Amino acid sequence: MSEEQKTVKAIDGPTRLEYRYSPGRASTRFLRGMEQKKILGQKCVGCGRVYVPPRGACARCGLPTEEEVEVQDTGTIVTFTIVRVPSQNIEIELPYCAASILLDGADIPFTALLRDVPVETVRLGMRVQGVWKPDAELGPSFDNIDHFTALDEPDVPFEKFQEHL
Amino acid sequence: MSEPQPLSAGHVLEYTYKRSVGPVLGRFFTSLRDGKIEGVKTRAGRVLVPPMEHDPETGEATSDDWVEVGPGGTVTTWAWVAEPRDQHPLDRPFAFALVRLDGADTAMLHAVDAGSESAMRTGMRVRARFADAPTGGIKDLACFTPEDAE
C-alpha cells in the first residue's frame, strides 16, 4: 500500500507562540555591558545583595536594586548536574555539566555550561572562569560567555557559599 | 545611571506536537485527502459532520454507517474576520462560519472565502473548495466559497 493510500492516523498540531520580548531596563543595561565584556549587576538598597543578571528589584526585599556594580567573570560552582540524556535542540556533546555558578561579587548564582573539565571531577566549591566569545562575535547577549572552565585555584569551602544556593 | 533604550527581540515558543486522531477522524481526514467529505450516522440516524466517535446527544457510540455529504452546504451562522492573522486559514478577509453540508444534520466550523462582508448572510449557499496539495488533515478542505459566485 502506498503512502498516499494509507489511513490518516495522526495530524501535525504544533502549538506556536510568537512573542516580542523586552528584558526591561535593568537587564538591558546588563546586556549592553555584556557587549563590552563587562558583567554588570545591581545591588539591593535594602539587603545589599548583588543580582546578576539584574532584574531591577530584589526578589527578597521587593526594593529597587539601584546601585550598579561590576562583577568578575570568575566564580564558584555552588551546585551542578551532569547531563547524560540527549535532548532535542541541544547539540552539546554528552555527558556535559550544567553548573550553578556564583560569580565573585554576586550573591545570586546562575546556570551555565562547564566545559573542558572531566565531568567526574566536577565538585561543589570548584573555582571557574568564563570563556568569552571572540570580540567579533560579541552582542547584547548572555551567550557572550560561551562557557565556563576550571581555574587552578583551591576549592571554596561550603560554608563560604552555603547562603547562595 | 543613564538609561539605555530597553532592548527588544523576537522570541518563539513552539511545541511540535503530533496528534493521534483515532479511527473516526482518521477516516474523515483520509476521505478529505481524496476530495470527499464524509459524515457518520448516529444510532438514531442523524449524520454528524465532522464525524464523532460518540453521539453528543446520548453518549452512545456512533455507527459504522458512513455517508458522503456536500460538497454544497448552508451557512447557519458566521463572523467576519477583517484582519486575518498569520495562522488563519486565508490570507485575505474571510468569514468563520458554521456550514451544514448537504446531507448532514450538524454544522462544522470552517472559513468562507466570500470576498467581502456584504456577500455574507445566514442561510447562504456555499461549496467546498479542496486544497491543491492535500496532506491528510482539515486543511485539505481549503475553504468554502459562495455558490452563486461560481
Side-chain angles (χ1 to χ4, degrees), chain A residues 4 6 11 19 29 66, chain B residues 1-2 9 11 13 19 33:
Chain A
E4 284 72 31
K6 280 185 186 163
I11 55 171
Y19 292 102
R29 286 192 65 78
E66 287 178 342
Chain B
M1 288 192 275
S2 67
H11 178 70
L13 180 64
R19 189 193 148 193
R33 196 176 55 192

Side-chain angles (χ1 to χ4, degrees), chain A residues 42-63:
Chain A
Q42 286 182 6
K43 186 183 269 194
C44 172
V45 296
C47 67
R49 280 189 180 78
V50 173
Y51 284 80
V52 181
R55 301 290 183 223
C58 177
R60 191 173 298 214
C61 307
L63 293 168

Side-chain angles (χ1 to χ4, degrees), chain A residues 50-112:
Chain A
V50 173
Y51 284 80
V52 181
R55 301 290 183 223
C58 177
R60 191 173 298 214
C61 307
L63 293 168
T65 51
E66 287 178 342
E67 187 189 337
E68 187 166 281
V69 288
E70 184 172 352
V71 303
Q72 303 304 305
D73 66 0
T74 52
T76 302
I77 293 180
V78 297
T79 187
F80 66 91
T81 188
I82 308 298
V83 180
R84 300 177 189 277
V85 181
S87 174
Q88 233 179 354
N89 304 328
I90 294 180
E91 290 164 5
I92 306 163
E93 195 183 332
L94 297 174
Y96 65 87
C97 173
S100 187
I101 294 166
L102 183 69
L103 291 177
D104 296 337
D107 289 293
I108 311 296
F110 58 85
T111 305

